[in-house]
Amino acid sequence: MTGFSGMHGLSPEATLVMLGLSLLAAMVTALAIGRLGRPRRRSATRDDASVFLFDGEVLVDATPAARRLLDRIGGGEDSDFAALTALLSHRFPDLLPRLHRLGGSGEVRIEGLGRSGALEVAYREGLVRLTLVPPEDAGSGVDVVAFEALQDELRVLRGIAEDAPQLIWKQEADGRVTWANAAYLALADSLAPRSAGDGAWPRDCVFPELRGSAEAAPPVAATPGRRRSDKPLRLEIGARRKAPRIYEVTRFDRGGEVIHFGTDVTALAEAEQARHVFVQTLTQTFAQLSIGLAIFDRRRRLVMFNPAFHDLTGLPVAFLGSQPQVQTVLDRLRDMNMLPEPRNYASWRDQIVALEEAAASGSYRETWSLPGGRTLRVSGRPHPEGALAFLFEDISAEIALTRHFRAELETAQAVIDTLSEAVAVFSPNGQRVSCNAAYAARWGQDRGAARDVTLAQEIALWKSHAAPTNVWTDLRDFVGAFGDRAPWAEVLRLRDGRALRCELRPLPGGETMVLFTDEVAGDWDGRTLRDESAGGARGRAGGAGKH
């Protein structure tokens, strides 16, 4: 044995000691070789391992890698435990059921789908410890679950950007387009179709206003953050390019690159143009009205008025253009004596509040008699969205004419009241229009109820006081007849023996005046006045057209 050749000459005790040391060294060497030959198992307590410690759903502790994962996924309103289990359920579909089956005690190892590692779960003293174990062949410290989650999020974001109907593209500082989504590429193809051999396409921005470094992308330091285009950008699309499309472009400066978002606002611009034309039409229409118009918005600010309102009220244009409140306008009108003067200011303020409330419900309508003799008719009407409109109409001429007619009527009534004959006037439809004091005294009638009395009622009254006669039929036909009518008269005999002359005279407008006059005793010989002339008055009355 050559290994022990050096031991010759030693004592037996020394030889045994040397042999024991040799055997111990051989065993240590064998153990070291065996440990190196096996793959090293990753420790769960390393900083790059994802280990979570929960008390119920509250996170008690976590390794740095685990905290980075929680920060990336973001729980929102959910707890960290709910957010983590929702993320892990993609790789461990039966995670929650198996956790519930443990019942708060024990350990379990759950293998992930597709060799994506495992999840070790351990319950200790009311705490649960979750350890994400990477695959055995993982050569780096990358967390597979977190990486897959980020990949899913990246695919979703790419799909959103690609399928967005909004134009999205990136430009360099020199105006060159470096990336664009499908909507932008479709628009570029409709403007200038791509031909074979084109390398970088599209080379330039589709909006001429954004091409070149001066207009398109100023230095980021000059315009940091977000900036919207000062005015909408127009593009003419189509074979003849007669259909302009309007876009609103917003840009974001991010790290030396400029990201643009273009929104098609053609419909909005057309609606705004139509609204502008409509408002102009209304404004021109309102400007021609003789009625003053003042419109207040829901905050009771004056937002529109026409020239007639300025002319009727005399309020300065600068004051009206400052969008005053309703009460401010009324205060100014009161200072200018353009409001009826109240008995006291406090009650007037209450009336203003009542006026605004009544106008908001559409029930306000009032006539203002101004100190200067002018008369305004003011009405309030509600409008959509809580707006309120006041209409001011100068009815001074109308009031003056009404007063004039009323004065003439009163004068005419005073004149016929002085007559001794009993006079009553009937309309063509048989309504009593008026009567004088002598008529009311003779027949016991109320002059105030003239319009409520009919010819039939009056004939019944007259018949009750007179002897029987056939004249009432002719009288009724005469009142209701059309065309030319000749006046006629008849002498009636009252029940007390007195003679009463009844005379009918046509008036303009188809009305008829009936006069009753006392006859002098002895004048009546039993003949009617209609028999006095050839043909008689009956023939004259019969010449008129009847119903």
Side-chain angles (χ1 to χ4, degrees):
M1 296 179 60
T2 59
F4 295 97
S5 60
M7 294 183 183
H8 293 290
L10 296 177
S11 61
E13 294 80 2
T15 301
L16 290 175
V17 171
M18 294 297 295
L19 183 58
L21 292 175
S22 300
L23 292 175
L24 181 60
M27 292 176 62
V28 171
T29 302
L31 289 173
I33 293 174
R35 189 177 182 92
L36 292 174
R38 293 195 304 270
R40 297 181 62 187
R41 187 177 182 85
R42 180 172 295 182
S43 174
T45 60
R46 291 175 50 190
D47 291 340
D48 59 350
S50 297
V51 183
F52 309 85
L53 186 63
F54 290 95
D55 184 359
E57 292 196 1
V58 179
L59 181 65
V60 177
D61 195 8
T63 61
R67 292 189 181 277
R68 288 194 297 270
L69 178 59
L70 288 176
D71 293 339
R72 283 195 295 268
I73 62 177
E77 297 181 357
D78 297 332
S79 62
D80 292 332
F81 184 82
L84 180 62
T85 53
L87 174 66
L88 298 180
S89 296
H90 296 286
R91 292 298 174 187
F92 309 98
D94 56 347
L95 173 60
L96 290 178
R98 297 190 67 173
L99 292 179
H100 290 308
R101 285 197 295 269
L102 285 177
S105 63
E107 299 182 0
V108 66
R109 179 184 175 92
I110 305 175
E111 297 294 337
L113 298 177
R115 301 181 63 185
S116 58
L119 175 66
E120 294 179 351
V121 184
Y123 282 95
R124 291 289 186 276
E125 299 179 356
L127 303 177
V128 59
R129 184 172 182 265
L130 303 179
T131 304
L132 287 173
V133 181
E136 293 294 336
D137 56 352
S140 65
V142 177
D143 193 322
V144 176
V145 176
F147 179 76
E148 290 293 335
L150 293 178
Q151 287 291 99
D152 292 340
E153 182 179 1
L154 181 59
R155 283 192 293 270
V156 171
L157 294 178
R158 283 178 176 173
I160 292 174
E162 188 67 20
D163 299 333
Q166 191 179 36
L167 308 180
I168 307 176
W169 73 97
K170 291 196 306 182
Q171 282 184 244
E172 296 291 346
D174 58 358
R176 182 171 52 90
V177 177
T178 58
W179 178 87
N181 68 344
Y184 180 92
L185 296 178
L187 176 62
D189 187 52
S190 64
L191 294 174
R194 185 179 184 181
S195 59
D198 284 347
W201 180 88
R203 296 185 180 88
D204 298 322
C205 180
V206 296
F207 298 99
E209 296 88 348
L210 301 180
R211 294 174 185 171
S213 58
E215 296 84 3
V220 176
T223 55
R226 174 180 177 178
R227 191 183 71 175
R228 180 173 293 179
S229 56
D230 296 334
K231 60 181 180 179
L233 307 180
R234 295 177 177 269
L235 285 178
E236 293 183 355
I237 303 174
R240 298 183 179 180
R241 298 198 173 188
K242 293 184 178 180
R245 306 295 298 178
I246 302 174
Y247 291 86
E248 186 178 77
V249 178
T250 304
R251 56 170 289 170
F252 290 86
D253 301 322
R254 297 192 181 278
E257 292 182 327
V258 182
I259 304 176
H260 292 82
F261 296 86
T263 304
D264 190 342
V265 294
T266 305
L268 181 61
E270 291 175 351
E272 179 65 22
Q273 179 65 22
R275 187 194 68 84
H276 180 69
V277 173
F278 179 70
V279 170
Q280 282 189 332
T281 303
L282 287 181
T283 302
Q284 294 174 359
T285 303
F286 292 156
Q288 304 299 323
L289 293 178
S290 60
I291 300 176
L293 175 65
I295 299 179
F296 298 85
D297 61 11
R298 66 174 62 187
R299 291 180 292 178
R300 298 299 179 260
R301 296 183 310 172
L302 180 63
V303 294
M304 182 182 293
F305 64 93
N306 65 344
F309 177 73
H310 164 68
D311 297 337
L312 289 175
T313 60
L315 294 173
V317 176
F319 169 75
L320 297 175
S322 64
Q323 296 187 334
Q325 298 285 333
V326 174
Q327 293 191 359
T328 305
V329 173
L330 295 176
D331 286 339
R332 182 66 70 89
L333 290 176
R334 179 178 181 271
D335 295 338
M336 299 171 60
N337 292 327
M338 292 296 295
L339 285 178
E341 188 64 28
R343 294 182 179 178
N344 59 76
Y345 187 78
S347 64
W348 180 78
R349 296 295 296 182
D350 295 338
Q351 290 176 4
I352 287 183
V353 176
L355 180 151
E356 183 178 344
E357 294 176 353
S361 63
S363 61
Y364 180 76
R365 187 178 181 87
E366 193 173 286
T367 299
W368 291 357
S369 298
L370 306 181
R374 297 176 60 193
T375 304
L376 298 181
R377 180 187 292 129
V378 183
S379 58
R381 299 182 182 274
H383 277 240
E385 303 296 333
L388 181 64
F390 282 100
L391 302 176
F392 294 79
E393 183 179 2
D394 190 350
I395 58 173
S396 302
E398 177 183 341
I399 294 297
L401 184 61
T402 302
R403 290 173 180 172
H404 177 70
F405 286 157
R406 184 179 295 113
E408 289 188 349
L409 291 176
E410 291 176 353
T411 302
Q413 185 66 43
V415 170
I416 66 173
D417 282 342
T418 61
L419 299 177
S420 60
E421 294 89 349
V423 179
V425 179
F426 293 90
S427 65
N429 61 359
Q431 295 289 328
R432 195 181 76 185
V433 177
S434 65
C435 63
N436 65 349
Y439 180 90
R442 172 174 291 278
W443 302 108
Q445 292 291 306
D446 181 11
R447 290 191 299 171
R451 290 290 180 180
D452 297 330
V453 180
T454 64
L455 178 62
Q457 293 173 335
E458 294 295 80
I459 291 177
L461 176 64
W462 300 335
K463 289 174 65 175
S464 65
H465 290 80
T469 179
N470 296 327
V471 73
W472 308 119
T473 302
D474 295 336
L475 186 149
R476 183 177 59 251
D477 294 342
F478 186 88
V479 170
F482 292 102
D484 295 335
R485 296 176 297 168
W488 61 271
E490 183 78 27
V491 177
L492 307 175
R493 175 64 66 179
L494 299 179
R495 293 187 182 276
D496 58 4
R498 289 180 300 150
L500 184 65
R501 178 187 177 92
C502 176
E503 185 177 354
L504 279 70
R505 298 179 182 177
L507 297 178
E511 293 182 341
T512 303
M513 181 173 65
V514 181
L515 296 89
F516 294 94
T517 309
D518 292 327
E519 287 287 316
V520 179
D523 287 349
W524 184 71
D525 56 2
R527 295 180 299 104
T528 65
L529 297 181
R530 291 179 294 172
D531 298 328
E532 293 178 348
S533 59
R538 184 183 300 275
R540 293 193 299 269
K546 298 182 181 180
H547 289 294

